[in-house]
């Protein structure tokens, strides 16, 4: 691949983070699985390598993972988002792009996964933007993808992901990165403030999945 980008996945030992590690490694990008526990991160990286033998995948602490990354994917539960970002703040550098995939589900306060909690900043992504240093940009994405589907590299995606961000250049960069995943189409859904709506699609799909016993996805027609 001509343009290989280094990606740190914080929460890479969780379902979504692990699935994205599989797909991004399959697409040819060097991936570092991050975790508060480096041993767990290394074990998750080894699992990815077993699925994608040609992939360049390593495991590290969250702080070490972000040091040399071009992109930092935040794939932790919403309840851990703020503490995770605060822990790596001093290791983030100007020009890096944070991709926030967190969703403020009510599970963070003991509620149902089909409901959202209110976020003071407006959305998870806007909260992330308030927590990163100046010069580090935030784009939200990946709220409607099934972690189970992502973890099966032979399964066609055939889905869209909606991204939001305040800078066109950042969204174009994230589009190129995620668009390298076969079958995944990236749709620009507007400024970062629109994340409060894209994040709300997650509990909607969770409810559909529960009722129909499926892994439903999202597709925009007419584009």
């Amino acid at each position: 691949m001509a343009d290989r980008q280094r990606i740190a996945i914080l929460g890479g030992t969780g379902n979504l983070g692990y699935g994205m590690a599989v797909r991004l490694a399959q697409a040819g990008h060097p991936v570092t699985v991050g975790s508060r526990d480096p041993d767990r991160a290394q074990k998750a990286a080894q699992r990815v390598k077993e699925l994608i033998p040609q992939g360049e995948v390593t495991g590290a602490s969250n702080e070490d993972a972000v040091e040399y990354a071009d992109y930092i994917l935040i794939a932790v539960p919403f309840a851990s988002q703020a503490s995770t970002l605060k822990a790596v703040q001093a290791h983030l550098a100007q020009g890096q792009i944070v991709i926030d995939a967190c969703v403020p589900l009510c599970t963070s306060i003991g509620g149902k996964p089909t409901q959202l909690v209110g976020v003071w900043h407006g959305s998870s992504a806007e909260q992330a933007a308030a927590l990163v240093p100046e010069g580090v940009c935030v784009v939200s994405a990946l709220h409607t993808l099934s972690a189970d589907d992502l973890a099966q590299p032979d399964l066609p995606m055939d889905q869209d992901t909606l991204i939001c961000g305040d800078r066109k250049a950042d969204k174009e960069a994230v589009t190129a990165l995620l668009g390298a995943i076969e079958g995944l189409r990236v749709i620009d859904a507007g400024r970062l403030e629109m994340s409060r709506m894209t994040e709300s699609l997650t509990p909607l799909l969770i409810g559909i999945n529960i009722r129909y016993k499926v892994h439903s996805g999202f597709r925009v027609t007419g584009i």
Side-chain angles (χ1 to χ4, degrees), residues 26-187:
Q26 184 183 40
H29 294 294
V31 174
T32 301
V33 174
S35 173
R36 289 176 297 179
D37 182 344
D39 289 337
R40 287 189 64 206
Q42 289 163 10
K43 288 177 182 177
Q46 183 57 40
R47 288 171 55 210
V48 176
K49 285 283 290 181
E50 290 169 2
L51 280 177
I52 314 294
Q54 75 279 14
E56 186 179 333
V57 188
T58 56
S61 67
N62 285 335
E63 292 83 355
D64 288 343
V66 305
E67 283 280 359
Y68 302 105
D70 299 300
Y71 299 86
I72 297 99
L73 171 59
I74 308 298
V76 299
F78 178 70
S80 301
Q81 186 217 47
S83 60
T84 298
L85 283 171
K86 287 178 181 178
V88 301
Q89 268 181 344
H91 302 268
L92 297 174
Q94 186 171 355
Q96 290 178 316
I97 297 177
V98 168
I99 302 173
D100 185 66
C102 300
V103 178
L105 297 175
C106 279
T107 49
S108 63
I109 56 171
K112 297 179 180 179
T114 53
Q115 297 175 329
L116 292 175
V117 294
V119 182
W120 180 259
H121 292 87
S123 65
S124 170
E126 289 169 293
Q127 176 171 285
L131 291 169
V132 299
E134 186 177 354
V136 176
C137 298
V138 174
V139 173
S140 68
L142 308 172
H143 303 115
T144 59
L145 302 185
S146 163
D148 290 335
D149 288 353
L150 286 168
Q152 301 179 58
D154 295 330
L155 183 69
M157 288 302 298
D158 194 30
Q159 293 185 34
D160 294 343
T161 183
L162 303 178
I163 66 169
C164 302
D166 288 337
R167 295 197 340 147
K168 182 179 179 181
D170 297 332
K171 288 187 285 187
E172 288 176 345
V174 172
T175 295
L177 176 76
L178 299 180
I181 298 174
E182 188 174 357
L184 182 63
R185 186 175 64 161
V186 183
I187 303 293

